[in-house]
Amino acid sequence: MTTENEKRAHAKWDRENRGTVSANIRKEMKEDFYRVCNMNGRTPTSVLKNFINDYVVSGGRPWVVNNKSAYSCKEDSE
């Protein structure tokens, strides 16, 4: 069992060493993303962390979406 001191120490470490990335996306895209993550047995957080890591490691090389009906990888200008 985790003690209160351990919880406080962990929260302090998180504040000093972690950050949050967020994006405003359409509700339909969010729902589709969560559904696909669930279908693949993945959490949205793990998918996003892996994507960010791969993107940084690759130097930000663009990715290709072959399906024309897929969501655009460009920033939403709407």
Side-chain angles (χ1 to χ4, degrees):
M1 183 172 192
T2 306
T3 68
E4 288 301 315
N5 284 340
E6 290 170 327
K7 288 178 185 177
R8 279 193 292 275
H10 184 72
K12 181 181 180 212
W13 187 92
D14 276 352
R15 280 191 307 275
E16 293 172 353
N17 295 286
R18 293 187 180 267
T20 300
V21 175
S22 65
N24 289 317
I25 59 175
R26 290 181 303 239
K27 287 182 180 182
E28 305 86 43
M29 185 185 297
K30 178 186 173 193
E31 291 165 1
D32 289 348
F33 177 63
Y34 276 65
R35 180 180 48 76
V36 172
C37 288
N38 187 46
M39 285 175 17
N40 289 298
R42 306 278 309 276
T43 64
T45 299
S46 71
V47 171
L48 292 171
K49 283 181 178 181
N50 285 328
F51 169 77
I52 291 169
N53 181 70
D54 292 349
Y55 189 76
V56 170
V57 168
S58 74
R61 286 188 301 236
W63 59 97
V64 177
V65 176
N66 293 323
N67 181 350
K68 300 278 187 210
S69 66
Y71 295 110
S72 173
C73 294
K74 296 180 195 174
E75 275 191 39
D76 212 349
S77 59
E78 297 175 6

